[in-house]
Amino acid sequence: MSAQHTDVIIGLEIHCQLNTQTKLFCGCSTDYKEDGPNTHVCPVCIGLPGSMPMVNKKAIEYALRVARALNLEVLEESEFARKNYFYPDLPKGYQITMYDRPLAERGILEIEDDEGKEKKVRITRIHLEEDPGKLVHMGGAGRARYTLVDYNRSGIPLIEIVTEPDLRSPKEARRFLNKLRATLEYLGIFDGEREGALRVDANISIKGSERVEVKNITSYKGVEKALTFEITRQKSQIRRGARVERETRHFQEGRGITTSARSKETETDYRYFPEPDLRPLRVRDWVAGIALPELPDARRDRFMRQYGLSLNHARTLTGDLRLAEFYEALAAKADPALAATWTADTLLGELNYRDMAVATVPLDHFADLVNLAGSGEVTDRVAVEVLRKLLDAVLEGRSPAMPSAYVKEQNLGKSDASAFAAVVDEVIAENEQAVADYHAGKTSALNFLLGQVMKKTRGKADPREITPMIAARLSSEEGS
C-alpha cells in the first residue's frame, strides 16, 4: 500500500434537534414523546397543498447562539430552499432546508487531538432545516413485513453543522462530537439525552481514494465504531487492488458493520430551488444582542483557577454540563481537590460500569463519602466498596444508607496497623509458597501476601502501613 493511502480523512455532518416548544414552520408542539403516533401534525408540517410555513423565531435565536459559540460568521442574508426527493417519511416530496445561503459560515471548535494537543476543527457552515417523519419497521429492520410512518417528528427544527475534513481518526471524531454536545448543552438549546437528538452523517476516505458517506448514525459510540469499520474496509479494498466506490452506506450498529445503500447522490439530484413561501432571513444584527453563558473551555479554566484542579480533571469534569454542575455542588460540601479525584477517577468508572447517569447520584451521600475518605476514617478500598453499595442501592430503587452510618454499623472504620500484626503473622504462616517465592527474589509475592491481609481485614487495613509490616516480618524471618 502506498503512503498516500495511509492518511484518513473524516468530515462530519451533524444534525442536532433544537429545544424549541414548537416546530420550525408551524405551531405544533415538539413534546410528543408520551403521545401516540401522528398526534402532533398539521397541514403545514406534512405539507398539504395551500399550507403556508412560518419560521419559528426561537429556532433562529438558538441557531445564532451556536453560531456565536463556534465563532461563525453570520451571513448578511440567508435563504431557505426546497431539497427535492421522494421518501415515505417526507409526504410533500421535498425538505425545507438551507442550501447555497446558510445561516453562518467559517467557524472553529477546539478539541484534543490523538496526541493530547489542542486542535482547531474548522466548521464549514451551519444551517436550519426541518426533520422529516419517522419510519417504524414492524418486526425490526430487515425482518419487518410492513412499515408504518409517524409524522410527529415532521417539521422538528434541526441545526445542521458541517465540518471541514479535518478529523484524522475515529477517536478524534468521538472527541469532537463530545465537545460539540457539551457546547450545545451549555448553550441551553439542546438535550443530548433525548432519543434521536443527534444524528451524524460521516464522510470518510483514505487519501487518494473516493469518499464514502455513512448515513444516520445515532450514537456517539456508533460514530466511532462505524468509522473504525470503514477505515478497515477501505484499506482492505485498496490493499487488494480494488477501487473504493463513491457511495452512501448504512451503519448496522448491532453488527458493527456498514452496508452499501446506494450510489452517492450529487447536489443536482436534489434539484434545489429557493423556497417560494419563505422570505430570505436577515438576522445578522440579532447576534450583538445574544449573550452567551460560560462555555466548557471557560469553565475548565475557571475550575483550574478556582479549585486548583489539574488540566485532566478540569477537562473531564467540564466535558458534560450535568457532571460540571454536580461537581460544583459537591465542591461546596467537600474538599474540592478530593471531590475532583473521587468524581473523575472513581465515580465515573462505577457509573459507566452500571450504565448510570451522574444525575442519579445522591449528592449528600457522595459528599459524606468523600469527607469520610478525606478524614482518613476509612481506607480507600473500604470507601470504594461503600460507594458500590450506594450505587447498587440506587440502581435497585432502594434508599441507600448514609456512608458514615453504614461504616459505623458494619464496623468498617480504619484501624491502627498494629491491630493487624496477628493477621500478618497468620497470612505468612498460611502461605509458605509465597514466602519462599519472596525469599527467592519474586517481589510480586509481597503483593499477594498483602492481598491476603486485605481480604482477612475486609479492607480495613491501610496497604501503605501493612506493606512495610509484611516486608519487615519476612526479613526478620529470613534472618532468624
Side-chain angles (χ1 to χ4, degrees):
M1 187 166 58
S2 65
Q4 66 172 345
H5 287 142
T6 60
D7 292 334
V8 174
I9 301 171
I10 299 170
L12 301 177
E13 299 172 12
I14 306 122
H15 299 82
C16 305
Q17 183 174 330
L18 299 175
N19 277 346
T20 56
Q21 299 296 311
T22 56
K23 294 184 179 181
L24 185 54
F25 299 120
C26 66
C28 289
S29 169
T30 56
D31 185 15
Y32 57 79
K33 185 178 178 183
E34 304 297 329
D35 298 331
N38 296 310
T39 53
H40 290 244
V41 295
C42 74
V44 172
C45 55
I46 58 174
L48 294 185
S51 60
M52 296 291 286
M54 182 178 293
V55 183
N56 184 332
K57 183 180 178 183
K58 185 60 72 176
I60 298 172
E61 290 177 2
Y62 283 1
L64 290 176
R65 282 192 208 177
V66 179
R68 274 209 63 190
L70 301 183
N71 304 298
L72 287 130
E73 179 183 339
V74 177
L75 270 61
E76 178 66 35
E77 184 174 282
S78 50
E79 184 178 63
F80 285 103
R82 290 187 180 184
K83 180 181 180 181
N84 295 276
Y85 65 97
F86 175 76
Y87 211 63
D89 60 7
L90 194 65
K92 58 193 175 194
Y94 62 86
Q95 179 188 26
I96 302 179
T97 181
M98 289 176 168
Y99 176 48
D100 53 351
R101 289 198 287 175
L103 193 72
E105 296 177 332
R106 295 186 292 278
I108 291 288
L109 182 66
E110 287 193 0
I111 63 166
E112 183 185 356
D113 69 11
D114 287 345
E115 296 177 351
K117 299 175 183 174
E118 290 293 326
K119 172 176 182 170
K120 292 181 179 179
V121 178
R122 294 171 295 165
I123 312 296
T124 311
R125 56 185 273 157
I126 63 171
H127 66 254
L128 281 161
E129 66 182 29
E130 62 177 344
D131 212 350
K134 179 181 179 182
L135 298 180
V136 182
H137 303 288
M138 304 305 292
R143 298 190 301 274
R145 297 180 61 188
Y146 62 95
T147 297
L148 303 176
V149 190
D150 181 3
Y151 292 116
N152 278 348
R153 202 175 70 181
S154 181
I156 292 290
L158 302 177
I159 184 172
E160 182 171 346
I161 300 168
V162 182
T163 78
E164 292 290 311
D166 289 344
L167 299 163
R168 291 292 174 267
S169 75
K171 289 189 181 302
E172 235 180 52
R174 174 84 179 268
R175 280 194 291 273
F176 176 86
L177 290 173
N178 288 341
K179 182 70 174 288
L180 179 65
R181 169 183 169 160
T183 302
L184 299 182
E185 289 191 332
Y186 273 63
L187 290 171
I189 59 113
F190 174 76
D191 179 4
E193 299 290 325
R194 182 182 293 182
E195 182 185 357
L198 181 140
R199 280 165 276 155
V200 178
D201 299 341
N203 291 288
I204 178 168
S205 62
I206 308 300
K207 192 174 181 180
S209 291
E210 286 287 358
R211 171 165 54 94
V212 169
E213 181 181 41
V214 183
K215 296 281 285 185
N216 278 330
I217 312 170
T218 57
S219 74
Y220 303 88
K221 288 181 182 175
V223 171
E224 187 175 345
K225 287 181 181 176
L227 290 171
T228 300
F229 177 85
E230 261 308 293
I231 290 169
T232 303
R233 187 189 70 84
Q234 292 184 26
K235 284 187 173 180
S236 175
Q237 290 276 96
I238 295 166
R239 192 180 300 114
R240 289 186 285 110
R243 182 180 173 190
V244 176
E245 299 291 338
R246 182 181 174 90
E247 62 177 340
T248 296
R249 299 179 70 87
H250 288 315
F251 177 56
Q252 297 187 22
E253 188 147 7
R255 299 172 62 192
I257 64 171
T258 67
T259 53
S260 182
R262 57 184 184 269
S263 59
K264 182 79 176 79
E265 295 94 341
T266 64
E267 291 181 343
T268 54
D269 293 326
Y270 292 120
R271 295 174 291 110
Y272 285 97
F273 63 83
E275 166 59 57
D277 294 333
L278 291 169
R279 300 180 65 183
L281 293 177
R282 292 178 180 171
V283 294
R284 191 158 72 176
D285 292 346
W286 295 14
V287 176
I290 292 176
L292 294 182
E294 184 182 46
L295 295 176
D297 286 351
R299 200 167 199 176
R300 176 199 63 198
D301 294 344
R302 179 170 65 79
F303 276 16
M304 293 172 70
R305 289 194 311 273
Q306 183 173 341
Y307 301 118
L309 304 189
S310 67
L311 174 61
N312 282 341
H313 276 167
R315 187 180 273 154
T316 299
L317 295 173
T318 56
D320 178 276
L321 177 61
R322 295 169 186 81
L323 180 62
E325 292 181 342
F326 177 86
Y327 170 73
E328 288 247 65
L330 179 64
K333 296 173 179 283
D335 175 73
L338 199 60
T341 300
W342 272 91
T343 303
D345 297 346
T346 307
L347 178 63
L348 287 183
E350 296 293 334
L351 290 176
N352 287 336
Y353 176 72
R354 292 165 179 76
D355 197 21
M356 292 174 67
V358 71
T360 62
V361 180
L363 180 67
D364 287 342
H365 286 65
F366 190 61
D368 183 51
L369 179 74
V370 172
N371 286 327
L372 201 59
S375 69
E377 294 178 49
V378 296
T379 63
D380 287 351
R381 177 167 171 168
V382 166
V384 170
E385 288 302 319
V386 174
L387 173 61
R388 289 171 178 165
K389 294 282 185 187
L390 191 162
L391 296 179
D392 287 344
V394 173
L395 193 60
E396 294 163 9
R398 294 181 283 112
S399 297
M402 193 60 78
S404 53
Y406 180 79
V407 165
K408 186 176 180 181
E409 178 189 320
Q410 298 291 319
N411 189 27
L412 294 173
K414 184 176 154 187
S415 301
D416 187 82
S418 60
F420 301 115
V423 178
V424 170
D425 288 344
E426 191 177 307
V427 165
I428 288 175
E430 291 174 353
N431 294 276
E432 293 180 2
Q433 185 58 52
V435 172
D437 289 344
Y438 178 79
H439 290 318
K442 292 185 180 178
T443 55
S444 59
L446 184 61
N447 291 330
F448 172 79
L449 294 169
L450 173 63
Q452 298 306 303
V453 173
M454 299 303 291
K455 189 175 177 181
K456 282 179 178 285
T457 61
R458 299 175 64 198
K460 292 162 64 176
D462 188 337
R464 291 166 294 191
E465 297 174 352
I466 295 299
T467 300
M469 278 183 66
I470 299 173
R473 177 72 177 76
L474 291 171
S475 297
S476 66
E477 183 182 70
E478 189 176 32
S480 62

